[in-house]
Amino acid sequence: MKNILLLFISVMSFAQVKGVVKDSVSGKPIPYVTISLENQAKGTTSDEEGKFSINTQTGNLVFSAVGYHKKKVSITKEMNVFMQPKNHTLQDVVILNKLQTKTIEIGDYKNSIRQAFDNGPKIDAKFFPYLTKYKKTRFIKKITVYTDSQIDSAIVKMRLYSVDENGLPASDLLQKDIIVKPKKGIYRNVIDVSDYNLIFPKKGLFVAFEKLFIDKNKVEKTIIDQNTNTVKIQKIYYPFMLYNRIELSGIFTYYGGAWQKIEEKNNENKMVVKPYFEPAITIFLSN
C-alpha cells in the first residue's frame, strides 16, 4: 500500500505544470495572462508575479495578454514563457470635441431572464453592432456588467475587441488591462472609459469580462462526492458573470486558445435564432 501511495503522489506531481510568464524585452513578469490548453476547455491565469500552474501533461498552452503577441508553447514540467510586446507607433494628437450633453445606453434587455454562471476557463463576449443612429453619440463613455461574488477581494478583467473579417473578436482596442473590483453580492459594475476617447468603430465591437484564476479570487469548500462518497476540495473562483437569456443567432466564446461563434444552422445552412445566454453587458454612448 505504501508503494502504491508513493506512485500516486509522483503521478499527481508530474501532472501539475508550473511556470512564469515574462516580457521578452524587459524580463519583467506579466500579470493576468490568459493561459489556455489548446483546443480544450481548460485553462488558468498568471498571478501578479506572472506565475501559473495547471494540471495537464501533454499538448500546447496558448498565452494571450493585452499589449503582447499571442504565443503557443509546448508543455513541459517547468515553463519559462517570454511574450513579445507589440510595437505601437505614436499617432498625432487629435483634439476631440466631446460635449457629453447627451447619453444613450445600448445593449440592455428589459424583459430578459438574468442568471449567474460560473463560466469556467473561457471568455464570453457580447457583440455591439454599429448603427447609424449612434453618429451623434459616437463616444464610448461607460460600460456596465452585472456580477455575483461571495467575497470582497475578487477582481475581473475587462477587454474590448475590434471585429475581424470573419465577424469574430480581433485585436484589443485598449493597450492596457482594465481591472474591475466588484462588490460582494449581485452588483451592477459601472466602468468609466471616457478618458480613453474611444469612438464606436464602424464595424462594431466586442466587450468581454474575463475571470482570473488567481488566489485572491479563490474560495475552497469541502464537499462529499456523491458517486464515490469521498471528501473533496472544491475550488470556486469569483466573481460569476450574470447572463441574459435572449433570442440570438449565436454567441461568441474564447476557449482552447481561439475565438469561435457558437451557433446552430438549419437544413438550408441558415443560422437559427434561438434562446442563448449572453453576458449582461451594456454600453453608454455620449456626444
Side-chain angles (χ1 to χ4, degrees):
M1 178 63 71
K2 184 176 180 180
N3 291 337
I4 294 175
L5 179 60
L6 289 175
L7 177 61
F8 175 75
I9 293 174
S10 175
V11 171
M12 290 299 292
S13 176
F14 177 74
Q16 187 177 64
V17 174
K18 294 183 178 181
V20 62
V21 189
K22 296 181 180 180
D23 186 300
S24 64
V25 177
S26 68
K28 294 181 179 180
I30 307 175
Y32 311 138
V33 177
T34 305
I35 304 167
S36 306
L37 185 59
E38 188 178 30
N39 300 324
Q40 296 189 42
K42 188 174 185 178
T44 188
T45 312
S46 67
D47 64 15
E48 291 85 349
E49 297 177 344
K51 297 178 181 179
F52 70 92
S53 64
I54 184 171
N55 289 326
T56 188
Q57 289 181 317
T58 59
N60 298 315
L61 292 180
V62 181
F63 297 79
S64 173
V66 175
Y68 291 87
H69 293 284
K70 184 186 290 188
K71 186 167 187 176
K72 181 170 68 174
V73 182
S74 297
I75 292 172
T76 58
K77 189 176 180 181
E78 296 288 339
M79 302 182 68
N80 287 308
V81 180
F82 292 89
M83 298 186 70
Q84 181 182 357
K86 294 180 179 179
N87 293 322
H88 298 286
T89 57
L90 294 176
Q91 298 180 349
D92 294 334
V93 176
V94 178
I95 304 301
L96 299 174
N97 185 23
K98 292 196 298 183
L99 301 176
Q100 299 196 44
T101 57
K102 181 181 180 181
T103 301
I104 63 170
E105 183 181 11
I106 62 174
D108 193 21
Y109 300 100
K110 301 297 183 183
N111 299 319
S112 64
I113 301 173
R114 187 169 289 143
Q115 292 181 255
F117 290 109
D118 181 2
N119 60 357
K122 64 186 180 73
I123 310 171
D124 294 324
K126 180 172 180 176
F127 176 60
F128 291 85
Y130 176 81
L131 302 178
T132 54
K133 66 180 181 180
Y134 301 159
K135 186 176 181 180
K136 294 183 179 180
T137 52
R138 60 190 183 125
F139 294 101
I140 301 174
K141 184 178 182 180
K142 297 178 182 178
I143 297 173
T144 76
V145 63
Y146 283 89
T147 55
D148 184 1
S149 181
Q150 299 302 311
I151 56 177
D152 291 316
S153 61
I155 61 174
V156 64
K157 182 166 63 174
M158 182 181 77
R159 296 178 74 167
L160 280 66
Y161 298 93
S162 61
V163 183
D164 70 11
E165 63 276 7
N166 297 314
L168 296 174
S171 58
D172 287 283
L173 294 176
L174 296 176
Q175 296 308 311
K176 63 173 292 185
D177 284 331
I178 304 296
I179 302 299
V180 181
K181 299 179 180 179
K183 292 183 179 180
K184 188 176 181 180
I186 297 177
Y187 185 71
R188 190 189 194 197
N189 305 269
V190 181
I191 303 97
D192 189 339
V193 294
S194 57
D195 288 344
Y196 296 102
N197 296 322
L198 289 171
I199 296 176
F200 202 110
K202 291 292 180 67
K203 291 184 177 180
L205 80 156
F206 289 92
V207 181
F209 285 83
E210 179 182 349
K211 177 175 288 191
L212 304 178
F213 292 83
I214 56 178
D215 285 344
K216 69 164 53 179
N217 289 352
K218 182 174 66 176
V219 172
E220 293 186 345
K221 294 183 178 180
T222 302
I223 62 171
I224 303 297
D225 189 316
Q226 299 299 323
N227 296 321
T228 61
N229 200 32
T230 56
V231 176
K232 291 187 175 182
I233 302 298
Q234 181 186 39
K235 296 179 181 179
I236 302 173
Y237 291 88
Y238 289 103
F240 292 172
M241 300 293 108
L242 266 67
Y243 287 71
N244 291 317
R245 184 172 173 82
I246 58 173
E247 298 283 331
L248 293 169
S249 62
I251 54 174
F252 300 89
T253 298
Y254 180 93
Y255 73 90
W259 281 101
Q260 57 185 293
K261 185 178 182 181
I262 308 300
E263 59 186 9
E264 184 178 318
K265 294 185 178 181
N266 59 21
N267 294 332
E268 298 177 352
N269 202 34
K270 294 182 179 180
M271 289 183 294
V272 176
V273 176
K274 55 180 274 188
Y276 285 98
F277 282 103
E278 180 185 62
I281 300 171
T282 70
I283 295 178
F284 282 88
L285 302 176
S286 67
N287 58 347

